[in-house]
Amino acid sequence: MANKLNKLIQGYELLSQQSGPVVLATIIETLGSTYQKAGARMLIAEDGEFTGLLGGGCFESDLREQADSVFADGQAKVVFYDMRSPDDAVWGLGLGCNGAVRVLLQLLTADNDFYPLDRIAQAYRQNETAVLATVCDTSDPEAVIGNTTYLPAIKQDQQFTLLEDHPLYANGAKQALLQDKPAYIEHDIDDRKLTVFYDVIKPASRLLILGAGPDAVPVTEFAAKLGWHITLLDHRPAYIRPERFPAADQLLNITPGELNEKLDLDQFDALVLMTHSIDYDERYRKVIADSRIPYLGLLGPAKRRDRLLDSLGEKAEGIKARVYGPIGLDIGAESPEEIALSIMAEIQAVINQRDGGQLFQKDLPLHERVTPN
């Protein structure tokens, strides 16, 4: 999900207020079970301060030392950490992740607005999609390790395509877009080799909350911490106040009948219906029945869900598979904060194509990525 960029974007916003350089560390390849996967990023300041985390503490101290040479000469470099040793003391650090990680370190400066971090922030904040193509290894004396090309994309007929082809990077970028995951590809060009890391940059996932009651407050807070872009609406003007929902990105005072006029519903990745009014629930349900929102969460018991679906008639079949009600994972939640945690945990699981079960009962390696269908 794009939300993994949230901390990075916050770091960029702080950087834009200063002039000192920073090192961008990006995981470009992983083998086995690792704390983070390809595409994860962190920032390392000259004083050694981190923004983000790549190895859960496994190799960050060494990354800090590696970054010193990048600060010194400005040259990007790739470092490799192999934590698959049967001994629980790789490099004497007691690492036990059981995987290997390849990390690219790039120097970013204020002179060019910390590129490519500025373009990542642009895509994240302005609802844009792009592919970053970064040279990681090369036998071509004219190519430079760390050079990054920004390739904007657009969504057409539910698929992303590049806005313009690039003579060298187009095929790799298209592969990353099609598979919706990073690609680490070695190109053979006139007897020269060029290894490029392709990463799809997407905007923040978008959550729509219908109903601004008190229990919506912790939902917005949890969602904000996870990096979601949050739109919250209610038909009651007194409920839609910024001081009540400081974590929300957009507050709208509109009625169900105005919903399609004021919002493009298909831009949202998840919707939570929590009006506490069966009348308004049904009115909203009729409006959102034609949307393509992947997750439609309903507060309340199963009977309420069934009643709402029955009210849609034939349209119910089109959305039944995307309706989750009662909403949330079964964690024994009772308080508003616990319920909010349950709701956001289920949304994360559904969006990531997981069932939300306990990790110790899984056969998959820890942190194994599921490839979307």
Side-chain angles (χ1 to χ4, degrees), residues 66-355:
Q66 297 287 347
D68 288 341
S69 68
V70 179
F71 280 117
D73 61 21
Q75 302 300 308
K77 64 189 294 188
V78 174
V79 292
F80 184 69
Y81 298 101
D82 193 341
M83 300 160 286
R84 295 169 293 181
S85 169
D87 301 323
D88 190 29
V90 183
W91 312 315
L93 297 177
L95 306 181
C97 289
N98 244 357
V101 178
R102 201 177 306 275
V103 182
L104 171 70
L105 301 176
Q106 298 167 277
L107 184 69
L108 311 185
T109 65
D111 294 340
N112 60 354
D113 203 14
F114 303 100
Y115 180 85
L117 195 52
D118 61 326
R119 303 305 300 272
I120 294 175
Q122 173 184 314
Y124 190 79
R125 294 301 189 198
Q126 297 183 13
N127 204 29
E128 298 175 354
T129 299
V131 177
L132 291 182
T134 304
V135 177
C136 300
D137 194 15
T138 180
S139 62
D140 185 345
E142 296 182 4
V144 178
I145 294 176
N147 272 11
T148 298
T149 301
Y150 183 87
L151 304 169
I154 189 171
K155 194 171 188 179
Q156 296 177 329
D157 299 325
Q158 300 305 304
Q159 289 191 343
F160 286 101
T161 59
L162 295 177
L163 283 176
E164 56 184 58
D165 279 347
H166 188 284
L168 179 58
Y169 302 134
N171 289 337
K174 290 175 182 178
Q175 176 181 323
L177 282 169
L178 180 63
Q179 298 180 351
D180 193 23
K181 65 178 183 179
Y184 186 66
I185 301 175
E186 183 179 282
H187 300 283
D188 289 312
I189 308 166
D190 299 329
D191 297 325
R192 291 171 294 180
K193 295 187 181 299
L194 186 71
T195 304
V196 180
F197 175 64
Y198 297 92
D199 192 20
V200 180
I201 303 300
K202 289 185 175 182
S205 298
R206 305 177 82 87
L207 173 65
L208 175 61
I209 302 176
L210 306 180
D215 55 345
V217 174
V219 176
T220 63
E221 292 173 346
F222 273 108
K225 288 183 180 296
L226 293 170
W228 285 73
H229 182 283
I230 306 157
T231 297
L232 187 143
L233 62 86
D234 200 289
H235 62 283
R236 299 162 291 190
Y239 281 58
I240 300 293
R241 301 197 311 272
E243 60 268 25
R244 292 189 68 227
F245 296 97
D249 297 280
Q250 185 178 25
L251 298 173
L252 297 174
N253 172 219
I254 60 177
T255 65
E258 299 173 300
L259 189 55
N260 274 330
E261 299 175 9
K262 300 292 180 67
L263 285 176
D264 173 15
L265 293 180
D266 290 344
Q267 70 177 300
F268 294 99
D269 300 280
L271 176 149
V272 176
L273 183 57
M274 49 194 319
T275 68
H276 297 282
S277 165
I278 191 68
D279 174 56
Y280 271 90
D281 279 359
E282 290 180 352
R283 291 168 65 183
Y284 277 124
R285 175 61 62 202
K286 292 176 182 178
V287 176
I288 64 178
D290 295 325
S291 75
R292 296 176 179 175
I293 302 175
Y295 177 98
L296 302 170
L298 307 181
L299 207 63
K303 288 183 178 180
R304 186 170 190 172
R305 174 203 64 208
D306 294 339
R307 175 178 171 180
L308 291 172
L309 287 174
D310 289 342
S311 70
L312 294 178
E314 294 181 356
K315 286 188 175 182
E317 286 301 317
I319 68 168
K320 185 181 296 183
R322 294 180 282 129
V323 172
Y324 294 81
I327 192 173
L329 296 183
D330 181 9
I331 60 172
E334 294 183 358
S335 70
E337 291 75 18
E338 291 171 341
I339 293 171
L341 171 62
S342 169
I343 289 172
M344 289 310 304
E346 180 180 69
I347 292 175
Q348 292 289 135
V350 171
I351 296 300
N352 290 324
Q353 298 188 348
R354 299 283 188 154
D355 61 12

